[in-house]
Amino acid sequence: MNSTNQSLKPLTTEINDNGHLVIGGCDLTELADKYGTPLYVLDEKTLRTICKEYKEAFSKYEKINFLYASKAMMNLSVAKIVASEGFGFDCVSDGELFTVKSAGVDMSKVLLNGNNKSVDELNMAIDYGVGHISVDNFFELSLLNELAAAKNKTVDVLLRITPGIECHTHEYIQTGHLDSKFGFDMTQIDEAISLICEQYKNLNLKGLHAHIGSQIFETNVYNDEIDILVKELARINEKYSLNLSELNIGGGIGVKYTEQDNPPSVFEFADVIVDSINKSVEKYGIEYPTIYIEPGRSIISTACVTLYTVGSSKQVPNATKYVAVNGGMADNPRPSLYQAEYSVQVANKADWTASEKVTVAGRYCESGDILVKDVKLPQVEEGDILCVFNTGAYNYSMSSNYNRVLKPAMVLVKNSQSAIIVKRETLEDLISHDVLTE
Ligand code: LLP
């Protein structure tokens, strides 16, 4: 069965009688007119559909919990929608914790994670009553125990470990390989457990946490990960007479940015994950663990597109034709950071045939600020609206004010209605944190 992460475009994408692209029943050219560009457009139906697909895909495993990885995209409305689908949240900062709390999320369904959480962030997590803190290193074990003791509280923790799995994704988004800044090395687990059992009385160890990478297409790496985690859980329980019963297997499931991308469906991922759990539970003789899965990209990516307005064009003699838009690396740093590829269409000429090969360039003062290289588009002119697909994950959340440019607005579309969910920044916002010295 197919799933939403295999779609290049939001599920509600259509072309109307004017030849304009439509998402969530809203004409994108009209949205650009009404709200200005660059504009993030988030389709609620696509977002809810993938959440439902995850739940259906894993319905054969009773003890499954979903935590949306907030780092992919977080704001109040996203938190509210995703929470209403029954998901909890993986947060990595005070900002993410504060946003989900402000959206009314049940904090017992939140996990705080990260390799260098501050004292304030750990205290905030304890005060908010988050369900779990994933402890990343020895320094944090001792610090968290001290902070919890000072509040006379016990905190449920997972040990973040590095299972030593290399997956075929960009080097910068691999996290589970051996020489990683994240988590305890497998050889350090015993020392961590001994410390918790003997000294850190305010930490209540529930299980293990790992994350092996992002934009993963191969399902077999989850096989390996689960085998390692279940084996380790069994070994620890036996050796320390514990009853650890929770495994957080991270996120990572890939999405389709271009026609060439072929990510497996969440149903295939779920089959591999559940089969692996069944096999390893039998192999290592433990009870079925409670599983947490933390998808970010595959939840939000497909649901969002970015609209830009075309400005200048430049034909380099005997070389590239550049079409420049009014956004780029500050609203989507992924092409310049990871050589990420995207698909693009002219929203107001969606029924025109592609006739020329162009490179869509951003407006920022860097040669590397290219959004889409060598793409065939209809004849593009100043004022045309370009729609870049699959920009939900790690675009808005990694956006910046580079070149002192304002961050775009975000609108939510549903049933032919649109509503602002993130306001466009203003020039006043931009200087509101500046302090002029004498
Ligand atoms: N859990 C943990 C512990 C993580 O570190 C991550 C992502 C996730 C879950 C969610 O992974 P996802 O399902 O989104 O693949 N900025 C990069 C991606 C960095 C991912 C970092 N960790 C990019 O734009 O490709």
Side-chain angles (χ1 to χ4, degrees):
M1 205 160 27
N2 291 341
S3 62
T4 300
N5 63 312
Q6 298 177 301
S7 172
L8 200 60
K9 303 178 182 178
L11 302 176
T12 59
T13 308
E14 304 168 287
I15 299 177
N16 66 15
D17 294 342
N18 298 330
H20 290 184
L21 271 181
V22 170
I23 292 176
C26 298
D27 181 325
L28 297 185
T29 310
E30 287 174 15
L31 291 183
D33 233 29
K34 181 167 178 190
Y35 300 104
T37 57
L39 184 69
Y40 297 113
V41 179
L42 182 67
D43 181 40
E44 184 168 338
K45 170 128 191 249
T46 304
L47 175 55
R48 287 194 184 275
T49 304
I50 184 76
C51 292
K52 290 183 193 346
E53 285 165 355
Y54 261 105
K55 288 184 279 185
E56 192 189 333
F58 281 93
S59 58
K60 57 189 160 190
Y61 197 79
E62 226 174 273
K63 299 182 186 176
I64 186 84
N65 297 280
F66 303 99
L67 305 177
Y68 167 65
S70 312
K71 61 179 81 70
M73 181 205 281
M74 177 48 63
N75 56 53
L76 291 174
S77 299
V78 165
K80 191 171 164 206
I81 294 169
V82 173
S84 75
E85 291 296 334
F87 279 50
F89 294 83
D90 156 32
C91 292
V92 292
S93 68
D94 50 0
E96 289 182 356
L97 285 174
F98 183 72
T99 310
V100 295
K101 174 102 162 66
S102 304
V105 163
D106 171 359
M107 296 307 283
S108 71
K109 291 172 84 172
V110 172
L111 168 133
L112 179 65
N113 170 49
N115 70 315
N116 190 21
K117 308 168 192 84
S118 69
V119 168
D120 286 349
E121 286 168 329
L122 291 170
N123 274 326
M124 185 179 195
I126 301 171
D127 294 341
Y128 280 4
V130 302
H132 293 88
I133 297 181
S134 173
V135 183
D136 204 87
N137 49 61
F138 288 111
F139 168 75
E140 192 179 87
L141 269 183
S142 140
L143 175 63
L144 181 60
N145 184 65
E146 203 180 295
L147 298 175
K151 293 175 188 291
N152 219 358
K153 287 195 175 158
T154 306
V155 184
D156 285 349
V157 298
L158 301 177
L159 270 198
R160 170 79 184 261
I161 65 166
T162 312
I165 294 167
E166 301 251 358
C167 45
H168 299 125
T169 185
H170 192 284
E171 186 193 350
Y172 291 179
I173 50 181
Q174 282 180 354
T175 40
H177 56 301
L178 280 174
D179 191 3
S180 165
K181 73 168 189 174
F182 296 104
F184 291 89
D185 189 81
M186 299 290 285
T187 58
Q188 298 173 318
I189 294 177
D190 279 290
E191 190 183 343
I193 305 251
S194 306
L195 283 167
I196 296 173
C197 293
E198 289 156 24
Q199 291 183 34
Y200 298 147
K201 299 294 172 208
N202 294 73
L203 304 184
N204 180 24
L205 182 62
K206 305 291 283 185
L208 303 174
H209 178 204
H211 170 77
I212 53 176
S214 200
Q215 183 60 354
I216 296 174
F217 284 10
E218 350 156 51
T219 52
N220 60 332
V221 287
Y222 287 95
N223 244 322
D224 300 345
E225 182 195 6
I226 286 164
D227 186 77
I228 292 171
L229 289 177
V230 172
K231 184 177 178 188
E232 204 48 29
L233 204 68
R235 185 189 72 80
I236 295 167
N237 282 345
E238 167 83 28
K239 179 164 175 186
Y240 297 94
S241 305
L242 290 171
N243 194 17
L244 306 188
S245 58
E246 298 186 6
L247 288 180
N248 182 326
I249 61 171
I253 293 166
V255 301
K256 185 179 178 80
Y257 288 110
T258 66
E259 284 299 347
Q260 290 74 45
D261 285 340
N262 194 14
S265 75
V266 297
F267 298 100
E268 288 169 63
F269 275 108
D271 283 349
V272 169
I273 289 168
V274 173
D275 281 357
S276 308
I277 298 167
N278 288 338
K279 278 195 202 116
S280 29
V281 157
E282 190 162 325
K283 186 164 154 197
Y284 301 111
I286 64 164
E287 304 236 323
Y288 280 91
T290 297
I291 299 289
Y292 289 82
I293 175 165
E294 291 173 336
R297 188 190 311 268
S298 53
I299 297 292
I300 201 74
S301 180
T302 324
C304 188
V305 303
T306 308
L307 305 183
Y308 302 97
T309 305
V310 173
S312 64
S313 295
K314 167 186 173 177
Q315 174 70 62
V316 180
N318 304 317
T320 307
K321 175 167 181 185
Y322 289 96
V323 169
V325 296
N326 58 344
M329 66 187 290
D331 59 77
N332 181 2
R334 300 194 69 259
S336 41
L337 261 182
Y338 315 117
Q339 299 86 44
E341 292 181 23
Y342 283 87
S343 303
V344 59
Q345 227 177 324
V346 185
N348 53 310
K349 295 176 177 171
D351 58 350
W352 290 32
T353 13
S355 55
E356 59 175 356
K357 204 204 258 176
V358 301
T359 284
V360 180
R363 57 153 299 162
Y364 295 89
C365 298
E366 298 221 14
S367 308
D369 177 26
I370 299 293
L371 278 175
V372 190
K373 261 196 193 127
D374 294 336
V375 58
K376 266 198 118 182
L377 289 180
Q379 195 82 39
V380 181
E381 297 153 300
E382 185 247 320
D384 282 342
I385 303 299
L386 295 197
C387 172
V388 177
F389 294 97
N390 251 295
T391 57
Y394 305 106
N395 277 225
Y396 168 67
S397 64
M398 292 174 77
S399 64
S400 76
N401 288 114
Y402 185 46
N403 289 178
R404 214 74 178 153
V405 172
L406 306 176
K407 288 192 189 175
M410 188 180 297
V411 296
L412 184 72
V413 292
K414 181 190 178 184
N415 299 333
S416 309
Q417 305 283 322
S418 63
I420 285 276
I421 57 170
V422 179
K423 290 189 228 165
R424 185 174 301 283
E425 271 184 345
T426 63
L427 292 170
E428 286 69 31
D429 290 336
L430 201 59
I431 57 165
S432 66
H433 287 250
D434 293 3
V435 178
L436 201 56
T437 54
E438 292 301 307

